[in-house]
Amino acid sequence: MNDVFTHYWYPIIAAFHQGKSALPAHLGLSCDDYYQLTERVGLLPIATHALPQYAALSLRQELIGMRDDELGELTQLLTEHLDTRKPYAEQMAQVLANASMGSQHLWRDLGMPERPRLSQLFHDYFPTLHALNNHNMRWKRFLYRQLCESGGDYVCRSPSCETCTSYEECFGEER
């Protein structure tokens, strides 16, 4: 098994430091968790106000704050499927929920180098969700579909993915 710190946390934190993610200040974590994780992966913690993308982070935090209920529902969904034996498992659920607030594919909003690594992250941290995504739907769409099916206020566009006119958007090749 890959070391979760080098395989998942390092690229997430490095991308955040470089302004290549849609994560809010401190990855959406408490300052303490952010600093501990950053040091654990061997990076120097950077104060949010010292990051070049500080203005964008502040705006992102404000926008996420307006979607607080949605963030809570995503965090709860992820937490329900979490393998709590993994290091910093609850923090991963928080980070993924915050990244889901971004406007691109989840792997990009998270700062991962490619989608297969995000799928492996779901396999390792959220094994029951990974198993439910048996048609390899894009992860952000899959999460929102789960919220929709659990009775949330989210639009489920089609009762059957196979008949949906947006099928390629969910399952087609990413560009």
Side-chain angles (χ1 to χ4, degrees):
M1 183 176 116
N2 296 313
D3 174 34
V4 298
F5 292 106
T6 56
H7 200 64
Y8 305 129
W9 285 110
Y10 185 91
I12 291 169
I13 295 169
F16 171 73
H17 285 174
Q18 297 165 10
K20 296 179 179 177
S21 75
L23 290 165
H26 303 113
L27 311 173
L29 300 172
S30 71
C31 290
D32 287 344
D33 283 346
Y34 164 72
Y35 286 118
Q36 286 174 11
L37 268 167
T38 302
E39 289 174 354
R40 174 64 178 86
V41 300
L43 292 169
L44 292 174
I46 301 174
T48 301
H49 66 274
L51 291 168
Q53 70 273 24
Y54 174 68
L57 288 174
S58 297
L59 177 60
R60 192 171 294 131
Q61 191 70 45
E62 216 175 298
L63 292 171
I64 289 173
M66 292 189 290
R67 296 167 65 189
D68 200 43
D69 290 343
E70 184 178 339
L71 179 65
E73 289 178 32
L74 283 165
T75 303
Q76 181 180 346
L77 170 66
L78 290 162
T79 302
E80 288 170 359
H81 294 273
L82 191 59
D83 180 350
T84 56
R85 297 169 296 174
K86 295 287 184 245
Y88 289 92
E90 291 176 14
Q91 291 82 355
M92 184 61 80
Q94 290 176 298
V95 169
L96 276 175
N98 275 281
S100 294
M101 301 283 104
S103 60
Q104 297 184 45
H105 295 294
L106 183 53
W107 64 273
R108 287 186 179 144
D109 287 336
L110 191 57
M112 295 298 269
E114 71 274 332
R115 185 175 186 260
R117 191 169 315 189
L118 177 63
S119 292
Q120 187 64 45
L121 184 153
F122 270 93
H123 178 270
D124 291 346
Y125 272 94
F126 310 95
T128 54
L129 269 179
H130 185 271
L132 288 172
N133 191 3
N134 56 358
H135 293 295
N136 199 25
M137 181 183 269
R138 292 189 181 124
W139 285 107
K140 193 182 298 186
R141 288 183 184 269
F142 175 77
L143 293 175
Y144 279 92
R145 179 118 183 137
Q146 294 300 302
L147 290 178
C148 171
E149 290 175 357
S150 69
D153 292 332
Y154 303 96
V155 176
C156 292
R157 293 194 176 134
S158 176
S160 171
C161 290
E162 292 77 18
T163 63
C164 180
T165 57
S166 299
Y167 183 86
E168 284 300 313
E169 291 176 32
C170 295
F171 298 99
E173 284 296 312
E174 293 186 31
R175 295 168 200 82

